[in-house]
């Protein structure tokens, strides 16, 4: 990746930005941060000549590597809804959704698993490893990471998280590696299930006792009115968020994120964030500068 074009900032401002990061670097040294990367978060930008990694993905990878380089322990959990939809369309299969969840028959499960584990996971791992041998891709099926059971709404092979066994993640983090998790889980018989990545990220953050849980999505944060960008909620609490879930402020893909944030901050995760993953370096801005971007959820 070519370095960013020189900014218009004068040297003292640039030095100021670096100095501003210092207290955050010290505070978050050794701390686990779970970052959920939505399939929608990476709005494809026009790649310029010579780019091998899609630019938005390259910017995300750079942020994760920087976090790891200054002592944080990032864990990436990803979805891939749009990418699953693309392959289904190419194969002539009609997607069906119920309550925001994909109805998953055996063929759809195969497609979801191939796309998430074989494509999206590889793309993220590849983008990070441009910077060195850092990322290790995993499915929730690996080393008993995510145990699943069938979702009660009879959606086929859509699973709920029954348990997260963090052992494999802890081993990787102890070696300064960056785990990248595709959210397929399996039950005791080895049956695979497609699991909502928002929910899975929250469960992983809880079990790891993460300091932060960060959702990168395709909207600048949580809005008080879904269609009004000026209604961005800058900061909220678990209780407020629970009320918003009850009163219909949230719909579609924001529901599992908000529900996971509420659960996480009540289970010991320090803070949860909902950010616009399309904003270049959203992660760095949120974690290492005074003014956050997006929505901050505190207990
Ligand atoms: P991801 O791939 O990141 O999971 P989703 O499409 O599943 O993305 O979820 C984000 C979407 O949730 C937004 O693009 C928006 O359409 C929708 N949404 C529903 N309610 C809200 C709300 N109150 N504030 C912001 N976004 C909302
Ligand atoms: Mg979603």
């Amino acid at each position: 990746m070519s370095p960013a074009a020189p900014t218009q900032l004068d040297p003292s401002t640039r030095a100021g930005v670096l100095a501003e990061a210092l207290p955050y670097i010290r505070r978050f040294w050794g701390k686990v941060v779970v970052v959920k990367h939505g399939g929608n978060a990476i709005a494809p930008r026009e790649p310029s000549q010579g780019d091998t990694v899609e630019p938005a993905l390259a910017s995300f990878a750079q942020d994760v590597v920087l976090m790891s380089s200054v002592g944080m322990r990032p864990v990436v959990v990803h979805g891939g809804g749009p990418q699953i939809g693309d392959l289904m369309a190419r194969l002539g299969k009609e997607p069906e959704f119920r309550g925001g969840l994909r109805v998953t028959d055996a063929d759809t499960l195969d497609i979801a698993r191939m796309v998430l584990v074989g494509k999206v996971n590889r793309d993220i791992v590849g983008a990070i490893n441009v910077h060195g041998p850092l990322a290790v891709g995993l499915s929730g099926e690996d080393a008993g990471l995510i145990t699943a059971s069938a979702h009660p709404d009879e959606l086929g092979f859509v699973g709920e998280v029954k348990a997260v066994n963090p052992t494999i993640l802890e081993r990787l983090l102890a070696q300064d590696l960056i785990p990248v998790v595709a959210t397929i889980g399996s039950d005791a018989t080895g049956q695979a299930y497609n699991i909502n990545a928002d929910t899975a990220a929250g469960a992983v953050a809880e079990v790891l006792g993460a300091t932060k849980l960060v959702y990168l999505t395709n909207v600048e944060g949580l809005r008080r009115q879904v269609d009004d960008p000026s209604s961005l909620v800058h900061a909220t609490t678990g209780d407020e968020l629970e009320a918003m879930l009850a009163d219909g402020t949230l719909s579609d893909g924001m529901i599992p994120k908000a529900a996971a944030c509420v659960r996480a901050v009540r289970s010991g995760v320090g803070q949860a964030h909902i950010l616009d993953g399309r904003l270049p370096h959203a992660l760095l801005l949120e974690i290492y500068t005074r003014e956050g971007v997006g929505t901050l959820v505190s207990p």
Side-chain angles (χ1 to χ4, degrees):
M1 188 175 7
S2 55
T7 60
Q8 305 302 312
L9 297 177
D10 62 86
S12 76
T13 309
R14 285 200 242 169
V17 171
L18 287 171
E20 187 184 329
L22 180 61
Y24 299 101
I25 292 174
R26 295 179 68 152
R27 185 187 310 163
F28 297 127
W29 181 269
K31 300 288 198 290
V32 174
V33 175
V34 173
V35 182
K36 188 266 177 168
H37 187 293
N40 283 315
I42 300 281
R45 275 183 254 141
E46 268 316 301
S48 55
Q49 225 177 357
D51 278 336
T52 45
V53 176
E54 203 277 312
L57 187 53
S59 152
F60 167 77
Q62 226 180 7
D63 291 5
V64 171
V65 170
L66 195 141
M67 286 162 70
S68 166
S69 305
V70 297
M72 269 189 144
R73 299 193 294 160
V75 175
V76 178
V77 176
H78 65 85
Q83 294 85 344
I84 296 169
D86 284 353
L87 184 58
M88 286 183 72
R90 271 154 68 183
L91 297 172
K93 240 180 117 48
E94 274 298 316
E96 187 191 337
F97 288 89
R98 239 181 275 155
L101 293 173
R102 185 186 299 276
V103 179
T104 304
D105 61 14
D107 281 350
T108 304
L109 174 68
D110 274 351
I111 294 170
R113 201 175 183 206
M114 284 191 276
V115 169
L116 292 177
V117 182
K119 166 78 177 138
V120 181
N121 190 270
R122 292 299 98 200
D123 285 349
I124 297 174
V125 168
I128 293 174
N129 287 342
V130 163
H131 301 276
L134 296 164
V136 176
L138 301 159
S139 162
E141 301 158 282
D142 293 334
L145 176 56
I146 300 175
T147 306
S149 59
H151 194 279
D153 291 355
E154 305 203 356
L155 300 161
F157 297 109
V158 172
E160 284 191 319
V161 178
K162 265 188 82 181
V164 174
N165 178 343
T167 309
I168 186 66
L169 298 180
E170 287 163 353
R171 287 187 186 168
L172 294 170
L173 291 173
Q175 303 289 319
D176 294 327
L177 293 164
I178 302 171
V180 179
V181 181
T183 57
I184 302 287
S186 57
D187 69 11
T189 70
Q191 172 63 52
Y193 289 91
N194 187 13
I195 296 180
N196 180 279
D198 294 334
T199 315
V204 166
E206 262 175 56
V207 170
L208 286 173
T211 292
K212 283 178 186 290
L213 166 63
V214 184
Y215 288 98
L216 293 177
T217 184
N218 63 346
V219 62
E220 68 289 336
L222 196 106
R223 295 174 180 171
R224 189 77 57 185
Q225 260 93 41
V226 186
D227 325 311
D228 180 4
S230 71
S231 69
L232 173 69
V233 175
H234 293 278
T236 184
T237 62
D239 290 349
E240 260 180 38
L241 206 49
E242 190 172 48
M244 283 189 235
L245 275 164
D247 72 14
T249 304
L250 314 173
S251 58
D252 309 312
M254 199 48 73
I255 293 175
K257 277 184 248 302
C261 288
V262 171
R263 231 192 108 142
V265 296
R266 287 179 178 167
S267 316
V269 173
Q271 289 174 324
H273 304 256
I274 301 172
L275 313 178
D276 194 340
R278 300 166 306 175
L279 182 71
H281 305 299
L283 268 176
L284 298 187
L285 288 171
E286 183 65 36
I287 296 175
Y288 296 111
T289 69
R290 228 166 289 139
E291 297 86 30
V293 285
T295 302
L296 167 66
V297 187
S298 314

